Amino acid sequence: MTRIDAKFATLTAEGKKAFVAYVMAGDPDYATSLELIKGLPGAGVDIIEMGLPFTDPMADGETIQLAGQRALEAGQTLQKTLDMAAEFRKTDDTTPIVMMGYYNPIFNRGVDRFLVDAKAAGIDGLIVVDLPPEEDDELCIPAQQAGLNFIRLATPTTDDKRLPKVLQNTSGFVYYVSITGITGSAEASAADVAPEVARIKSQTDLPLIVGFGIKTPEAAQSIASVADGCVVGSAIVAELAKGCSVAEVLAFVRSLSDGAHRA
């Protein structure tokens, strides 16, 4: 059982929905980012999604793209992202960390070496958006064998024919992308999301977490009420980009987690 599995077991026992927060590792710099990540559990975050900055983030909107650029310009690397997770683990051995990003940096490091290092650093799961199920032998299956969850994204265009393929080697949870398009674009609607969540949950026992387009505590509550929880990323990253202090960003995160936990 991974930390992700354990977290969902605890939340289910408590009758609570999950609140997942995404931040870009190294944005705007290593020290600030580490301080923010260390503060997330205290702000009510159940699972941390740590973005791995990459030069060509094709699934991300402007907010996340700019965060990645700031992180790269400040010297963030895959190794520093693993170091950040390891530093976090010195004081928190229970909050799950999911590394989210693209395959190129992992491929460049070498899959076997990366998985050993990620496990040692305390990473619990991976979301690699540019590796489709047809490439499961590349990273997904080795990751699961190494004890890491491999979390797959389902979208509004994942039809009933495609869905079983998406689900077959997924573990930890399923990430439902509530809107078509890139991160940070449209607003998610619970009315639109609810039937899709029901359709996917009829095909899997895994928790289903909804992300993209959630920007307010009210939206977090609304979306979490029709799923097993929600993810907020761009709205949190945008607060940091505005120059808010870590304390101010964490206060905003607390408002979002409170919303999700009211669901």
Side-chain angles (χ1 to χ4, degrees):
M1 179 180 278
T2 66
R3 289 185 186 91
I4 296 170
D5 301 326
K7 176 60 72 174
F8 278 110
T10 299
L11 289 167
T12 300
E14 295 173 352
K16 288 174 66 176
K17 301 300 179 77
F19 180 69
V20 183
Y22 170 97
V23 292
M24 178 66 72
D27 173 37
D29 56 66
Y30 184 94
T32 305
S33 183
L34 180 59
E35 182 186 355
L36 176 60
I37 287 168
K38 284 184 171 182
L40 291 175
V45 173
D46 298 302
I47 298 172
I48 297 169
E49 266 184 34
M50 187 186 289
L52 176 62
F54 181 53
T55 51
D56 188 22
M58 61 188 179
D60 294 309
E62 184 179 16
T63 301
I64 303 294
Q65 285 189 24
L66 291 173
Q69 287 178 18
R70 289 192 296 270
L72 291 169
E73 286 166 6
Q76 191 72 9
T77 61
L78 172 55
Q79 183 57 52
K80 286 186 178 180
T81 304
L82 293 171
D83 292 345
M84 197 173 277
E87 198 63 35
F88 175 86
R89 283 282 168 245
K90 290 179 180 179
T91 54
D92 187 319
D93 194 41
T94 56
T95 304
I97 299 175
V98 175
M99 184 182 285
M100 183 173 186
Y102 298 84
Y103 185 47
N104 184 272
I106 297 170
F107 176 78
N108 282 343
R109 191 180 189 89
V111 167
D112 293 344
R113 180 185 169 203
F114 167 76
L115 292 174
V116 169
D117 293 346
K119 185 73 175 169
I123 301 293
D124 304 291
L126 302 173
I127 300 174
V128 183
V129 297
D130 55 347
L131 272 183
E134 287 75 15
E135 306 296 335
D136 274 357
D137 288 341
E138 191 80 19
L139 179 63
C140 172
I141 291 171
Q144 311 238 44
Q145 290 170 342
L148 297 170
N149 290 126
F150 198 90
I151 296 144
R152 190 82 67 193
L153 276 62
T155 74
T157 59
T158 307
D159 60 21
D160 289 336
K161 183 179 178 183
R162 179 67 173 166
L163 186 58
K165 189 74 174 171
V166 169
L167 296 174
Q168 73 179 9
N169 289 318
T170 301
S171 67
F173 60 91
V174 179
Y175 187 137
Y176 179 67
V177 176
S178 62
I179 53 177
T180 53
I182 53 177
T183 59
S185 46
E187 299 258 346
S189 159
D192 293 336
V193 167
E196 288 298 295
V197 168
R199 178 174 71 92
I200 295 167
K201 284 185 74 68
S202 72
Q203 303 295 316
T204 179
D205 294 329
L206 290 170
L208 198 146
I209 305 299
V210 177
F212 286 46
I214 302 168
K215 303 174 183 178
T216 65
E218 294 73 24
Q221 181 177 1
S222 174
I223 295 297
S225 71
V226 299
D228 296 304
C230 67
V231 183
V232 179
S234 294
I236 296 170
V237 172
E239 292 297 300
L240 205 56
K242 287 191 302 190
C244 293
S245 68
V246 169
E248 289 169 329
V249 177
L250 290 173
F252 176 61
V253 171
R254 167 57 76 180
S255 73
L256 295 165
S257 69
D258 285 348
H261 291 148
R262 281 194 298 270

